[in-house]
Amino acid sequence: VGVTLDASDWSNIYLPHEPVKASVQTDMPPGIEAELTVTVKNYQGKLLQTFRRTVSNAEKIEYNLASNELGWFMVSAELTVNGKKESSHSANYIRIAPPAQLHPGQMAYSGLINNCGGEFIPHFELMQKLGVKRVQVYGRWRKSHIDGIEYEPGKFDWSVLKKQLELGRRFGMFNKVMVSPFDTPEWYLDKNELEEARKTNSPLILDPKHLDRWKTFLGEMMRQCGNLIDEIELGCEDNGRLGHNR
């Protein structure tokens, strides 16, 4: 026996107006009948609902579950043959109150870090349902196999960052971008600087004499994405990365 819920994502999180439906799948050997018992309990173990029926062969049964209170719930299914338990399975779900809204002038503080390139839309739908109102993305200067913006000297690919920021806008998020001069493209460092960084496994740190290249990167980011950005963090806590205690 198996239990699944009808949530549109893996979360099994429901708002008060959303009905909760469970599907119970049974698969019995030919000629064998079993007693199916489905129960719903809250986090205190209080029994809220009980369903019973006789099943045989393969069947799929749907149940409307208790939905008149908030909290954590467990729906369990159990098969018994001649009073002996043969199989059981359960699934959890929660029902939450609608998220609070920000008052005018308030700024969202805690939120979501999106390092996924903006592809996981259900992730954003879930965060919005939970009341998350802020998203943080990383505008990595140096191109890597995962992400990064400057792929050749003076040539930029803003597509991933734009997608992340547009997704934040779509779901009403406050967009924060983190950028750092310690992810410098290799072509802005000389041979000795590169060898030293690789030897000590250190960040690629831009020499102050090349600060104009960092300014060019930031200026281009604002031209391309400025209308989608609410806040920028420069440095991204790099004191810790560089071994500084303050």
Side-chain angles (χ1 to χ4, degrees):
V1 64
V3 181
T4 57
L5 293 163
D6 67 337
S8 59
D9 51 62
W10 52 267
S11 67
N12 294 342
I13 297 174
Y14 298 84
L15 293 172
H17 68 278
E18 296 176 323
V20 184
K21 293 185 178 182
S23 294
V24 177
Q25 183 73 50
T26 64
D27 193 0
M28 299 295 299
I32 302 294
E33 290 188 342
E35 182 74 15
L36 171 65
T37 303
V38 178
T39 59
V40 180
K41 296 181 180 180
N42 66 11
Y43 71 99
Q44 297 173 316
K46 178 183 177 182
L47 183 64
L48 303 177
Q49 288 178 296
T50 302
F51 307 93
R52 290 190 176 90
R53 64 178 291 170
T54 300
V55 295
S56 60
N57 299 319
E59 294 189 43
K60 182 179 181 181
I61 310 107
E62 293 189 346
Y63 297 96
N64 295 315
L65 304 187
S67 58
N68 56 354
E69 61 180 274
L70 304 179
W72 175 93
F73 306 90
M74 179 172 68
V75 52
S76 302
E78 181 179 287
L79 284 178
T80 59
V81 178
N82 298 324
K84 180 183 177 182
K85 184 171 75 171
E86 297 293 341
S87 178
S88 63
H89 189 240
S90 63
N92 301 324
Y93 67 97
I94 62 172
R95 182 176 292 280
I96 60 174
Q101 300 301 311
L102 292 176
H103 289 287
Q106 282 187 323
M107 180 183 294
Y109 179 69
S110 61
L112 166 72
I113 297 177
N114 178 23
N115 291 326
C116 302
E119 297 294 339
F120 295 93
I121 292 177
H123 198 49
F124 273 77
E125 290 175 341
L126 174 59
M127 292 298 104
Q128 187 181 51
K129 180 182 284 191
L130 292 174
V132 173
K133 298 174 176 67
R134 181 185 183 92
V135 62
Q136 175 176 291
V137 300
Y138 193 17
R140 190 184 303 276
W141 186 10
R142 177 168 57 92
K143 191 74 173 176
S144 70
H145 68 285
I146 300 175
D147 57 8
I149 294 167
E150 188 165 345
Y151 60 92
E152 290 181 13
K155 295 184 178 180
F156 307 100
D157 179 3
W158 302 99
S159 59
V160 172
L161 181 61
K162 277 187 175 180
K163 186 182 294 185
Q164 291 173 309
L165 294 171
E166 288 168 353
L167 197 58
R169 277 284 185 269
R170 173 178 166 185
F171 287 92
M173 302 285 183
F174 183 95
N175 279 332
K176 174 184 175 181
V177 175
M178 300 192 304
V179 290
S180 170
F182 304 113
D183 284 312
T184 306
E186 294 185 2
W187 41 83
Y188 293 141
L189 288 84
D190 62 33
K191 181 180 178 181
N192 291 334
E193 289 173 322
L194 280 175
E195 288 180 353
E196 183 62 26
R198 288 166 178 164
K199 186 189 304 180
T200 59
N201 195 29
S202 300
L204 299 182
I205 303 171
L206 183 68
D207 189 294
K209 66 185 178 186
H210 298 312
L211 195 59
D212 59 316
R213 291 158 184 174
W214 168 242
K215 291 180 180 178
T216 297
F217 169 74
L218 292 179
E220 190 63 22
M221 182 181 72
M222 294 309 296
R223 279 187 287 273
Q224 295 290 331
C225 307
N227 64 320
L228 298 170
I229 298 173
D230 298 304
E231 182 179 297
I232 297 175
E233 180 179 338
L234 299 176
C236 310
E237 302 177 9
D238 285 302
N239 284 345
R241 295 176 61 190
L242 298 175
H244 297 169
N245 61 5
R246 59 185 172 85

